[in-house]
Amino acid sequence: MKRTSQLGSLGAPTGSLEVKTAELLGKVGFLWKIFGRKFKVRLKSNPFLRQLIFLRPQEIPGQVKSGELDIGICGWDCVVEAGLEKELRVVVELPFARKSKSPARVALFGKQKKFIDEKRIKVKTEYRYAADLIFTKAQKEFSYGGTEALVAYCGYDYGIGVVESGQSIKDNNLVIVRELFVSPVVLIAKADLSPEKTRQVGLLGKMLQGAFLAEEKKLLKFNILNPADLPRIEAEKFWLERLTLSQLDGGGLAAEALIRKSEVVKIIARLSGIGASGIIVQAVDFFLPSVP
């Protein structure tokens, strides 16, 4: 059988990160169709990967380590809980979380700020590995979620779980005792991939990050019917990368440039008064900065 240098499978998370992950992959051109509740989907004409496999995010680090997946997307908390921080490689951090763009935090919280580790203490934890690192004497029980309510109303002294805004902690009259670690969403890979697959994973990581870079950018296109107006337009220096020019049939120039989304109105107002016409502003799916 002929061996391929193409990556095999990417583990994509189900649950709260599923929609945002699918949107992100769609922005960089990953195309697929899901039929019913099928968890493995083939990718169409993709030079990087053959398929996506949708799994609970907690399962993804172990499957990457075993080689069943080449790469995966999950929260860093899943890697820590699996005890695989040293065995897997973080390719890139992806700036989104379950409810925001800020990375989630895994924290120890309770009814009081003081930390006590005694046999009488009861702990409800969403992270067994993290709990074992900080509690050696307390009674520990696994939590399937809703840990704030269990600590606030069901007789537990502490809880360990994901905190994003911290509003649920405040609403239930609890306090954060200790922040254990920050948990960004990450693209992870096997540490021993071949050089070619390592290159592909690195490029894929840059593309995924580029989708976030593009969110604050727009592509501006316009015509310069009188080439004599070009020096004044160039003097504005409004572009992020460079101003690209090409000849129009019948004379004049077509121009395009990447600009900041926040400056669209200001730039159009300036250019329209110094010779720019036929102005078009387009969304950008992803952006790979030029290498100097």
Side-chain angles (χ1 to χ4, degrees):
M1 181 182 292
K2 182 180 179 180
R3 297 189 66 180
T4 176
S5 60
Q6 184 186 36
L7 296 168
S9 301
L10 181 149
T14 58
S16 58
L17 293 175
E18 183 173 352
V19 172
K20 288 188 176 181
T21 299
E23 290 174 350
L24 174 62
L25 294 173
K27 285 182 178 180
V28 298
F30 281 35
L31 302 175
W32 70 88
K33 288 184 179 181
I34 295 179
F35 299 96
R37 289 184 55 80
K38 190 172 183 179
F39 295 106
K40 182 173 75 172
V41 294
R42 290 281 180 178
L43 294 170
K44 299 179 179 179
S45 304
N46 191 289
F48 293 106
L49 292 157
R50 293 195 300 273
Q51 61 191 14
L52 302 179
I53 298 179
F54 289 87
L55 299 170
R56 286 175 56 86
Q58 294 87 348
E59 299 287 350
I60 290 175
Q63 297 305 313
V64 173
K65 180 181 181 298
S66 71
E68 294 298 325
L69 302 172
D70 281 319
I71 53 178
I73 294 174
C74 62
W76 177 245
D77 57 330
C78 298
V79 179
V80 173
E81 181 64 5
L84 297 175
E85 307 100 304
K86 296 181 180 180
E87 299 184 57
L88 297 177
R89 182 167 64 89
V90 174
V91 181
V92 292
E93 293 186 9
L94 303 172
F96 70 92
R98 295 166 177 85
K99 298 179 182 178
S100 68
K101 290 186 178 180
S102 299
R105 297 171 291 156
V106 175
L108 171 69
F109 52 85
K111 297 171 186 174
Q112 59 177 346
K113 190 75 174 176
K114 186 178 180 181
F115 174 75
I116 302 172
D117 183 15
E118 297 177 354
K119 290 183 179 180
R120 62 180 176 86
I121 297 298
K122 295 175 64 179
V123 181
K124 201 71 170 172
T125 179
E126 297 171 27
Y127 297 91
R128 290 189 177 96
Y129 183 74
D132 289 340
L133 290 177
I134 59 176
F135 287 103
T136 59
K137 300 176 183 178
Q139 305 170 54
K140 292 163 286 189
E141 296 180 14
F142 183 71
S143 172
Y144 295 94
T147 308
E148 297 95 327
L150 291 167
V151 175
Y153 310 115
C154 297
Y156 292 90
D157 299 287
Y158 298 107
I160 297 175
V162 172
V163 176
E164 286 200 46
S165 67
Q167 192 60 49
S168 180
I169 298 291
K170 295 176 183 177
D171 289 347
N172 289 286
N173 298 314
L174 300 172
V175 295
I176 293 178
V177 178
R178 185 186 302 175
E179 185 175 299
L180 303 180
F181 56 89
V182 176
S183 179
V185 177
V186 291
L187 175 67
I188 56 175
K190 293 174 61 180
D192 59 349
L193 290 177
S194 68
E196 174 59 21
K197 287 186 176 182
T198 297
R199 186 195 67 80
Q200 291 181 38
V201 168
L203 179 56
L204 176 58
K206 289 179 181 179
M207 291 175 65
L208 294 177
Q209 283 189 319
F212 292 101
L213 290 174
E215 289 179 355
E216 300 304 320
K217 296 173 178 60
K218 293 288 186 179
L219 182 64
L220 176 70
K221 296 184 176 183
F222 58 94
N223 295 330
I224 307 170
L225 299 181
N226 183 359
D229 292 325
L230 179 60
R232 288 195 298 166
I233 290 174
E234 288 182 320
E236 293 292 326
K237 297 188 183 300
F238 54 86
W239 52 87
L240 293 174
E241 289 275 299
R242 58 176 59 87
L243 182 65
T244 302
L245 300 171
S246 58
Q247 293 289 332
L248 288 172
D249 292 339
L253 299 167
E256 62 180 53
L258 198 67
I259 62 175
R260 291 185 178 87
K261 183 178 179 181
S262 60
E263 296 182 351
V264 168
V265 175
K266 179 175 68 175
I267 290 171
I268 290 176
R270 282 155 48 186
L271 294 183
S272 61
I274 55 174
S277 62
I279 297 173
I280 298 173
V281 179
Q282 295 180 332
V284 180
D285 282 336
F286 73 94
F287 166 60
L288 291 180
S290 298
V291 177

